[in-house]
Amino acid sequence: MKMLIHWIWLAHRPGVSDRMKVCLLQHFRDPEDIYYATAKQWAEVEGLGEEALESLADKNLLPSEEILAQCMEKGIHICTYYDAAYPGRLKNISDPPAVLYYKGHLPDLDGNPVIAVVGTRHASAYGLGVAKRMGYQIARC
């Protein structure tokens, strides 16, 4: 559990892109080491800007503890970048997420065809209609 707190902390650092998080993970052993690193040690990682450094300096774990408690309460599982179940396909994109949250069983995303749809929280009526038709057609195939 303790280690998950640091994964969640890293995953939710504003101003630190997913690509930067992977760079940090490659430079340090794990999120706990990133958490306890000094600003001087973070500065050794190429591409970290001022906003990222300020975000990493925020050591408040309370939001991460709240997220973990909500996950436990709602039966949400957490898969980290280092977990064996983490999909290899995701590791091969330029900005893989440090943490995946899921309910139920994590499907074999490496062995099955997958489709991702990216949308908006403020879709137009036209956009909603197109998404519904596309989703239906994709599911039929």
Side-chain angles (χ1 to χ4, degrees):
M1 291 296 196
K2 181 181 177 199
M3 186 65 151
L4 279 178
I5 292 294
H6 294 102
W7 275 104
I8 295 168
W9 170 84
L10 177 63
H12 293 273
R13 293 296 84 213
V16 183
S17 70
D18 287 337
R19 183 176 297 175
M20 286 186 229
K21 291 170 189 166
V22 170
C23 289
L24 285 162
L25 288 168
Q26 290 170 345
H27 186 82
F28 296 93
R29 187 175 40 144
D30 56 44
E32 189 172 3
D33 284 352
I34 297 167
Y35 179 84
Y36 287 110
T38 64
K40 184 177 178 180
Q41 291 170 312
W42 294 325
E44 296 171 3
V45 179
E46 191 174 326
L48 291 178
E50 189 63 35
E51 184 181 6
L53 293 172
E54 286 178 23
S55 185
L56 291 169
D58 178 1
K59 304 297 187 182
N60 183 6
L61 291 175
L62 186 59
S64 300
E65 291 168 353
E66 290 171 353
I67 291 169
L68 182 58
Q70 288 177 6
C71 288
M72 291 175 65
E73 178 184 315
K74 296 177 181 179
I76 297 171
H77 304 282
I78 300 171
C79 180
T80 71
Y81 185 81
Y82 285 163
D83 288 342
Y86 192 95
R89 284 182 177 172
L90 277 181
K91 282 189 176 184
N92 289 319
I93 65 173
S94 63
D95 57 348
V99 171
L100 300 175
Y101 299 96
Y102 66 95
K103 282 189 123 182
H105 176 74
L106 188 63
D108 180 11
L109 298 175
D110 291 330
N112 296 315
V114 293
I115 295 172
V117 178
V118 179
T120 178
R121 290 187 175 113
H122 306 289
S124 66
Y126 172 77
L128 290 171
V130 169
K132 184 176 181 178
R133 285 191 303 278
M134 284 179 57
Y136 174 77
Q137 292 297 327
I138 289 169
R140 279 189 58 213
C141 292

